[in-house]
């Protein structure tokens, strides 16, 4: 089961720290938290994936959807510290071209 | 009752419409008999600008796509309608279509050519992903496209099926329509290319479920004129193909058991 910790940083920055598998079962929960952060006025979203051991394409899809929503609000969604499996799936789907990746917050 | 028309079943389609087009009768039969079949659309991811390279942009121009977001909404609504018509819920995964996977495919020739190394890796990942879907149950029968027509996305899902077969799952390949309808030689060519990867075909007589397949196909209102540009009457084209497939058994759909890599 995935846990999402949401922290509002300075200005319009939201930091979402994910713990656990980001798969088809967990994706709707993350989508709700992303929607909530954006609806609350955050435009710069940082999604910390350092404690996500596995992601599937539905999980990636929610991140793409969140990126689109952030851009519509003139903001951005960036990924922080994805692990090897996450990076691998991003490479295989070519979604590594879409996201900005930060090594730390 | 035919053994393929009973028990839990997961129908994997590369794109919106492949399962209703190819084997919607079998899905409807399973649903009618209370077996609760499920559908999964694999390449149903959303788009952002960076994913649209020169080849995808050329495709969009050819398809007259001006608002990709609107196209996605329409395609999903049609897929949901078709799934409801067959009596099987559908799940959309987040994989990007081949034309949006970087610059791996730069022409139609490549799009219908052999799978390259990274794509085989993606197929193995997809198999893993399917095994962890909420719909997965022990003993569930999995249906994947045979890959007639050789579209790389169809080949990739077939390879995922092969990987699942290697993990002990019972996997069958369906006959990709409309490719099999308008180019029958494509089936022979694909079977020759696959060699021992599939066994002898199995027929599933679908009887009146043919009507549900046709009704489900009709749900893809934006696609029918394109998919069936070779005929003015798609219902007759699909029905005649099903009747020809079944012969004395009446309208039928055809499936091939998928063998794992390394099988004799």
């Amino acid at each position: 089961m995935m846990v999402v910790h949401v922290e509002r940083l300075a200005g319009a920055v939201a930091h979402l720290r994910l713990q656990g598998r980001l798969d088809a079962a967990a994706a709707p929960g993350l989508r709700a938290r992303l929607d909530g952060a954006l609806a609350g006025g955050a435009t710069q979203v940082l999604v910390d994936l350092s404690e996500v051991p596995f992601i599937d394409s539905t999980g990636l899809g929610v991140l793409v959807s969140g990126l689109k929503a952030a851009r519509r609000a003139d903001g951005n969604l960036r990924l922080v510290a994805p692990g090897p499996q996450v990076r691998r799936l991003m490479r295989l789907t070519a979604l590594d071209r879409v996201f900005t990746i930060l090594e730390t917050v | 009752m035919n053994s393929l028309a009973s028990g839990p079943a997961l129908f994997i389609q590369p794109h919106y419409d492949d399962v209703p087009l190819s084997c919607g009768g079998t899905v409807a039969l399973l649903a009618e008999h209370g077996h609760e079949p499920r559908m999964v659309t694999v390449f149903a991811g959303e788009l952002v600008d960076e994913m649209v390279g020169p080849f995808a942009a050329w495709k969009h121009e050819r398809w007259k796509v001006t608002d990709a977001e609107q196209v996605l909404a329409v395609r999903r609504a049609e897929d949901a309608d078709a799934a409801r018509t067959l009596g099987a819920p559908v799940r959309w995964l987040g994989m990007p279509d081949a034309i949006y996977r970087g610059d791996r495919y730069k022409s139609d020739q490549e799009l219908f050519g052999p799978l390259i190394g990274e794509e085989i890796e993606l197929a193995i990942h997809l198999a893993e992903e399917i095994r962890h879907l909420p719909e997965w149950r022990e003993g569930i029968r999995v249906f994947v496209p045979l890959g007639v027509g050789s579209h790389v996305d169809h080949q990739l899902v077939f390879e995922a099926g092969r990987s699942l077969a290697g993990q002990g799952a019972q996997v069958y390949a369906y006959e990709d329509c409309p490719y099999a309808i308008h180019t029958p030689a494509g089936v022979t060519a694909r079977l020759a290319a696959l060699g021992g990867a599939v066994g002898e075909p199995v027929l599933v007589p679908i009887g009146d479920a043919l009507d549900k397949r046709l009704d489900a196909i009709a749900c893809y209102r934006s696609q029918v004129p394109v998919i069936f540009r070779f005929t003015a009457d798609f219902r007759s084209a699909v029905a005649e193909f099903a009747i020809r497939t079944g012969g004395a058994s009446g309208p039928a759909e055809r499936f091939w058991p998928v063998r794992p890599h390394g099988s004799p």
Side-chain angles (χ1 to χ4, degrees):
Chain A
M1 185 179 166
M2 193 187 66
V3 178
V4 184
H5 303 275
V6 183
E7 189 184 358
R8 188 70 182 263
L9 303 180
V13 182
H15 178 220
L16 277 71
R17 187 161 59 84
L18 279 47
Q19 288 178 303
R21 293 170 63 93
L22 176 47
D23 56 16
L30 175 60
R31 183 181 292 266
R33 302 304 291 272
L34 279 169
D35 289 348
L38 290 162
T43 55
Q44 300 298 325
V45 181
L46 302 171
V47 180
D48 189 332
L49 297 168
S50 59
E51 294 173 83
V52 173
F54 179 87
I55 193 167
D56 69 8
S57 71
T58 309
L60 275 183
V62 170
L63 296 175
V64 171
S65 184
L67 173 65
K68 287 169 68 174
R71 284 180 176 172
R72 276 195 296 272
D74 291 327
N76 200 359
L77 179 150
R78 284 170 289 181
L79 306 181
V80 181
Q85 189 275 336
V86 178
R87 287 179 191 267
R88 181 169 163 267
L89 186 58
M90 287 177 67
R91 173 178 59 79
L92 292 176
T93 54
L95 287 171
D96 53 354
R97 298 169 176 224
V98 169
F99 290 101
T100 303
I101 295 177
L102 307 174
E103 293 311 319
T104 56
V105 177
Chain B
M1 186 188 296
N2 187 293
S3 64
L4 291 192
S6 67
L10 191 58
F11 288 82
I12 315 289
Q13 54 180 359
H15 308 113
Y16 310 104
D17 72 22
D18 289 312
V19 159
L21 278 165
S22 306
C23 55
T26 303
V27 179
L29 268 186
L30 283 160
E32 275 170 24
H33 292 113
H35 298 292
E36 300 180 352
R38 300 280 191 271
M39 289 166 51
V40 171
T41 308
V42 175
F43 299 102
E46 293 188 44
L47 267 188
V48 288
D49 292 344
E50 293 92 329
M51 294 160 73
V52 184
F55 181 53
W58 176 75
K59 283 283 201 189
H60 283 193
E61 204 179 313
R62 240 178 88 197
W63 295 333
K64 299 185 170 51
V65 171
T66 50
D67 183 347
E69 199 116 340
Q70 171 67 9
V71 170
L72 180 77
V74 168
R75 298 299 310 273
R76 285 191 170 185
E78 292 174 348
D79 208 33
D81 275 354
R84 258 193 304 277
T85 302
L86 296 177
V90 61
R91 172 184 291 281
W92 298 307
L93 302 187
M95 295 261 187
D97 265 62
I99 62 170
Y100 307 125
R101 292 199 291 275
D103 50 12
R104 253 168 243 175
Y105 302 103
K106 297 184 287 296
S107 67
D108 276 333
Q109 197 181 354
E110 290 179 359
L111 198 61
F112 293 88
L115 280 186
I116 59 167
E118 274 180 318
E119 298 282 81
I120 299 286
E121 250 188 280
L122 186 56
I124 292 165
H125 165 84
L126 175 61
E128 183 69 7
E129 188 165 326
I130 291 168
R131 280 186 59 244
H132 287 94
L133 287 176
E135 287 82 358
W136 184 266
R137 277 176 278 167
E138 213 44 57
I140 200 165
R141 190 175 291 126
V142 181
F143 294 84
V144 296
L146 184 64
V148 180
S150 296
H151 190 291
V152 288
D153 284 343
H154 288 231
Q155 293 184 62
L156 195 155
V157 177
F158 176 85
E159 286 302 325
R162 219 170 165 201
S163 176
L164 287 168
Q167 295 167 59
Q170 202 183 4
V171 183
Y172 282 82
Y174 55 81
E175 196 166 17
D176 318 56
C177 291
Y179 297 107
I181 298 175
H182 62 61
T183 314
V187 180
T188 314
R190 179 65 175 156
L191 289 171
L194 287 174
V198 294
E200 290 300 310
V202 179
L203 279 185
V204 175
I206 57 172
D208 293 343
L210 172 62
D211 289 333
K212 283 206 174 162
R213 176 177 170 190
L214 297 173
D215 291 345
I217 294 170
C219 293
Y220 297 99
R221 288 170 289 278
S222 71
Q223 298 301 298
V224 164
V226 183
I227 297 169
F228 291 99
R229 57 191 171 278
F230 59 92
T231 173
D233 182 2
F234 86 85
R235 286 180 181 268
S236 295
V238 175
E240 282 163 17
F241 179 76
I243 290 165
R244 205 163 52 242
T245 298
S249 307
E253 290 164 353
R254 194 158 55 149
F255 301 90
W256 285 260
V258 176
R259 293 175 175 153
H261 284 282
S263 55

